[in-house]
Structures are given as structure tokens and as C-alpha cells.
């Protein structure tokens, strides 16, 4: 992660790249936490004026926003969640519950982008691997 350059991208786009490349184990909270901490710090180093805070405060803000985006992603894209979070609820949660002072317009943009386009998950990655495996097995049977 520390070798990745993320300058000029939005936090959610950087997180997408990180999740595709490093595929954190979602069953391991400590592993996911470590990856997100390193990602948040690297993102802030590549975008030093993104949050208008000290480097440590900015990294903590980015880290907490990553968890908020993962929560929103689950809420927005899980068929078992029937009462979906609204944009206003997401913004209020981040602003008050996480005690972050992030521009509301920015939070609204995060909400819209995550709601429209699901973040990569370990299950999506394993589905892709399974699909490729199935395809290769089928091809081998044909020949």
C-alpha cells in the first residue's frame, strides 16, 4: 500500500483500488483494521490538503470514513437490509456519531458513489475465482 500513489483521487476510489488489490480478510477484524489504517495514512500523504487537518488527524478521519463507507456499502447493497440508510442519515451519522467535521457536500458525494457502485468485497473476489475455476473445468471436459 505504501508504494501506491493515490494523489488526486477521491477517498472512495482509493479504497476501491485498495480492496481490489489487497482483498482484506473480512473475518479478521485486526487484519482489516491494519490494512485500512495503512491505506488511510498513505491516502493522506498523497493528498496532504484533502481534510485540512494535521497528518495524524487527517489519517484518523480517513480511517473512520473508510469504516463508514464499508457500513454504507453493506447497508446499500445487502438484500437482507430492508430499511436502507438515507443520504441524510449517513451524513448525520458521520458528522455526529463519529464526531467528524467533514464537508456535508463531500459526504453526500460519498453516499451517492457508494450507493450507485458497490465496493469490492471478498465474496465478489471468490465468486470471480469460482467462475474462472468453473469455466476452466468445463473447458477441460470439452477437450
Amino acid at each position: 500500500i505504501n508504494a501506491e500513489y493515490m494523489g488526486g483521487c477521491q477517498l472512495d476510489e482509493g479504497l476501491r483500488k485498495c480492496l481490489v488489490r489487497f482483498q482484506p480478510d473480512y473475518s479478521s477484524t485486526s487484519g482489516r483494521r491494519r490494512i485500512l489504517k495503512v491505506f488511510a495514512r498513505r491516502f493522506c500523504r498523497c493528498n496532504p490538503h484533502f481534510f485540512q487537518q494535521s497528518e495524524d488527524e487527517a489519517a484518523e478521519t480517513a480511517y473512520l470514513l473508510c469504516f463508514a463507507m464499508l457500513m454504507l456499502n453493506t447497508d446499500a447493497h445487502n438484500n437482507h437490509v430492508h430499511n436502507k440508510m438515507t443520504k441524510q442519515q449517513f451524513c448525520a451519522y458521520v458528522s455526529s456519531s463519529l464526531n467528524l467535521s467533514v464537508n456535508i457536500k463531500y459526504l453526500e458525494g460519498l453516499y451517492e458513489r457508494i450507493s450507485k457502485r458497490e465496493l469490492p468485497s471478498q465474496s465478489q473476489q471468490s465468486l470471480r475465482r469460482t467462475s474462472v475455476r468453473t469455466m476452466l473445468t468445463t473447458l477441460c471436459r470439452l477437450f
Side-chain angles (χ1 to χ4, degrees):
I1 294 174
N2 281 324
E4 294 289 313
Y5 181 72
M6 295 177 232
C9 74
Q10 296 292 332
L11 183 64
D12 55 307
E13 284 307 310
L15 181 59
R16 284 179 200 287
K17 291 175 188 174
C18 178
L19 293 175
V20 165
R21 182 149 185 211
F22 296 99
Q23 302 173 20
D25 180 4
Y26 285 91
S27 63
S28 166
T29 304
S30 62
R32 181 178 55 226
R33 192 177 300 139
R34 275 193 305 270
I35 287 173
L36 292 179
K37 281 268 188 196
V38 172
F39 163 76
R41 182 156 303 281
R42 180 65 183 159
F43 178 85
C44 292
R45 283 192 179 137
C46 292
N47 299 283
H49 303 293
F50 200 83
F51 291 112
Q52 305 293 318
Q53 298 171 314
S54 73
E55 186 176 323
D56 288 340
E57 290 171 332
E60 186 66 18
T61 296
Y63 174 71
L64 291 172
L65 280 174
C66 286
F67 273 103
M69 287 187 289
L70 290 172
M71 177 196 69
L72 172 61
N73 188 66
T74 300
D75 182 85
H77 300 287
N78 187 321
N79 294 331
H80 299 290
V81 177
H82 299 291
N83 296 324
K84 304 292 186 184
M85 189 182 319
T86 66
K87 188 187 306 183
Q88 291 76 21
Q89 289 170 325
F90 175 73
C91 293
Y93 168 75
V94 171
S95 298
S96 62
S97 299
L98 296 180
N99 197 26
L100 297 179
S101 56
V102 178
N103 182 300
I104 294 297
K105 291 287 184 200
Y106 183 74
L107 295 177
E108 289 173 347
L110 283 179
Y111 178 90
E112 290 166 6
R113 291 188 301 274
I114 299 294
S115 295
K116 287 180 186 171
R117 190 169 147 228
E118 187 174 4
L119 290 171
S121 67
Q122 194 176 39
S123 61
Q124 287 174 333
Q125 299 297 329
S126 51
L127 277 176
R128 284 188 197 112
R129 283 192 296 271
T130 303
S131 299
V132 169
R133 227 179 281 134
T134 304
M135 183 178 70
L136 289 173
T137 304
T138 304
L139 285 173
C140 288
R141 286 185 192 146
L142 292 174
F143 297 100

